[in-house]
């Protein structure tokens, strides 16, 4: 099944620069319907209000971290099947394992490049 | 004569017992301090009194006494070291200045990164009007620029970690000052007492050395604008 590039993508990061980088890289991959949130709780409120096809979230944010957001998403019957990619500088194995246990769809370590982002999107959404 | 010596010895023994009881009371008072810390000068005073007490000591006690002496010397040296460090200066000037400088780095790199991305987004728009190789080449270049801009996020996070570490150092300095007593913190900061030179008219002015002029980039709040500098150099009366 072809990937719907018009799906709404939620990007979550407390660094405005990173949100802008992600938005631009996604635009180059032809994902144009992108919304932003600066922390987990804002993201969760958006997810409960609108329909999203993908979440790409940082880990280290306040007041709600990326891992807390992931757990909330997976615990909510209406949201639990949304693909969730963690994109973070937290590269310790215990972080990756914790994210996996919480149900992360994929994990990108910062700094990353467009090719890695594309590969992870393909692994989560399918070829596009 | 023998009886006199015996009497002296007996009274000396009673005195030693009183001193020992006194020491035990002081030690248990130190142990029962609510905050769990012992002022260094109180600990040193007790150690000194232990060392001064009694003359008949076994080889084991002598070894213990030597260890206590070394511990006492160490505490004295540590205290002197902390005084030399000028903890008030570390707390009031060095750490706040360092954290402000680091925050300024984060801000400056964020501004620069956004400028770079503004320019890149303009190239992106132009790219939309092109076709073929030129468009593909521009796409490659802009992708690389976006990827490279990720440095700001990473450096920002690393600097935030350093700022947290500095704050922990500040807390440790506070704890040391509390343990070694208020007089350790009482010495005035070096900068508060800059060397002064007498002017010919009898007033005092600051003596500024070349080293005092090596500040590096200034924080916005402390920096002079170009207009202010021009006014200093070329303004009325210059």
């Amino acid at each position: 099944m072809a990937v719907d590039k018009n799906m709404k993508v939620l990007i979550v990061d407390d660094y405005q620069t990173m949100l802008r980088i992600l938005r631009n890289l996604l635009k180059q991959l032809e994902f144009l319907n992108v919304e932003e949130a600066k922390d987990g709780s804002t993201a969760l409120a958006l997810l409960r209000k609108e329909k999203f096809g993908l979440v790409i979230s940082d880990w280290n944010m306040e007041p709600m971290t990326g891992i807390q957001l992931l757990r909330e998403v997976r615990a909510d019957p209406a949201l639990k099947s949304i693909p969730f990619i963690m994109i973070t500088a937290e590269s310790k194995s215990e972080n990756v394992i914790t994210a996996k246990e919480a149900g992360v769809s994929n994990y990108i370590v910062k700094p990353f490049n467009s090719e890695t982002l594309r590969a992870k999107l393909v692994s989560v959404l399918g070829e596009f | 004569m023998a009886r006199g010596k015996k009497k002296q010895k007996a009274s000396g023994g009673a005195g030693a017992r009183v001193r020992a009881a006194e020491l035990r009371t002081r030690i248990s008072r130190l142990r029962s301090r609510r905050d769990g810390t012992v002022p260094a000068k109180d600990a040193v005073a007790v150690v000194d009194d232990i060392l001064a007490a009694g003359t008949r000591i076994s080889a084991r006690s002598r070894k213990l006494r030597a260890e206590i002496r070394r511990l006492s010397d160490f505490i004295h040296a540590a205290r002197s070291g902390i005084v030399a460090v000028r903890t008030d200066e570390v707390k009031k000037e060095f750490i706040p200045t360092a954290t402000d400088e680091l925050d300024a780095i984060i801000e400056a790199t964020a501004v620069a990164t956004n400028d770079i991305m503004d320019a890149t987004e303009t190239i992106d728009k132009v790219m939309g009007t092109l076709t073929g190789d030129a468009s593909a080449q521009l796409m490659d270049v802009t992708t690389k620029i976006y990827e490279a801009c990720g440095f700001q996020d990473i450096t920002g996070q690393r600097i935030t970690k350093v700022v947290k570490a500095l704050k922990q150092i500040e807390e440790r300095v506070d704890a040391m000052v509390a343990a070694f007593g208020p007089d350790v913190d009482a010495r005035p900061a070096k900068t508060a007492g800059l060397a002064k030179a007498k002017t010919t008219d009898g007033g005092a002015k600051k003596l500024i050395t070349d080293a005092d002029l090596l500040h590096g980039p200034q924080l916005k709040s402390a920096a002079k604008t170009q207009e202010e500098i021009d006014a200093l150099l070329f303004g009325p009366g210059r």
Side-chain angles (χ1 to χ4, degrees), chain B residues 1 8 25 37 41 76 87-88 103 110 120 127 134 157 162 174 195 200 204 212 214 216 222 229:
Chain B
M1 181 75 180
Q8 210 177 355
T25 310
T37 63
K41 64 175 183 192
H76 279 299
T87 50
D88 57 333
D103 286 341
T120 314
M127 188 178 77
Q157 289 190 49
V162 175
D174 281 343
T200 47
D212 291 331
L214 298 174
I229 289 167

Side-chain angles (χ1 to χ4, degrees), chain B residues 4 11 41 47 54-55 59 72 93 105 107 111 124 133 138 149 151 158 162 164 175 184 188 199 206 212 219 221:
Chain B
S11 72
K41 64 175 183 192
V47 169
T55 51
S72 167
E93 192 183 333
I105 291 173
E107 197 188 321
V111 169
D124 249 347
D133 273 0
L138 281 179
C149 285
F151 88 94
R158 287 195 194 288
V162 175
K164 277 184 189 163
V184 165
T199 55
K206 282 177 187 171
D212 291 331
L219 293 172
S221 55

Side-chain angles (χ1 to χ4, degrees), chain B residues 4 8 12-13 19 32 34 37 52-54 60-61 97 109 138 144 177 179 185 200 205 221 227-229:
Chain B
Q8 210 177 355
R19 281 195 296 277
S32 62
R34 278 187 193 166
T37 63
R60 200 173 157 193
S61 298
T97 303
T109 55
L138 281 179
K144 283 196 175 73
V177 170
D185 205 23
T200 47
K205 73 170 184 183
S221 55
E227 287 75 20
E228 286 170 326
I229 289 167

Side-chain angles (χ1 to χ4, degrees), chain A residues 3-7 9 29-33 118 128:
Chain A
V3 173
D4 174 17
K5 286 191 172 178
N6 286 320
M7 74 164 86
V9 179
L29 295 169
E30 296 171 346
F31 289 87
L32 304 175
N33 200 357
R118 188 184 194 286
F128 55 85

Side-chain angles (χ1 to χ4, degrees), chain B residues 155-172:
Chain B
T155 51
Q157 289 190 49
R158 287 195 194 288
I159 291 170
T160 303
K161 272 169 88 172
V162 175
V163 169
K164 277 184 189 163
L166 281 171
K167 282 181 180 152
Q168 281 176 345
I169 291 170
E170 191 178 8
E171 281 167 21
R172 297 278 175 237

Side-chain angles (χ1 to χ4, degrees), chain A residues 15 17 20 24 28 110 114, chain B residues 118 121 142-143 147 152:
Chain A
Y15 267 77
T17 311
R20 207 167 162 188
N24 279 307
Q28 293 193 332
K110 293 177 186 171
S114 177
Chain B
D118 284 345
E121 284 169 6
T142 52
T143 303
E147 288 169 2
Q152 199 268 328

Side-chain angles (χ1 to χ4, degrees), chain A residues 38-113:
Chain A
K38 290 200 120 186
D39 77 288
S41 49
T42 313
L44 192 60
L46 272 172
L47 285 164
R48 285 181 173 150
K49 210 169 101 187
E50 302 168 36
K51 187 173 164 53
F52 286 88
L54 174 68
V55 178
I56 302 177
S57 175
D58 182 30
W59 185 305
N60 202 339
M61 301 172 292
E62 287 177 352
M64 186 189 280
T65 64
I67 193 72
Q68 288 170 326
L69 172 64
L70 173 60
R71 289 192 185 113
E72 290 284 344
V73 167
R74 292 295 179 247
D76 186 330
L79 305 175
K80 67 179 181 186
S81 59
I82 297 178
F84 193 114
I85 297 177
M86 192 73 84
I87 188 160
T88 173
E90 304 289 349
S91 56
K92 289 195 171 176
S93 46
E94 61 251 39
N95 286 76
V96 183
I97 291 164
T98 304
K100 191 180 173 188
E101 285 171 355
V104 79
S105 310
N106 220 313
Y107 197 103
I108 301 175
V109 177
K110 293 177 186 171
F112 65 98
N113 59 33

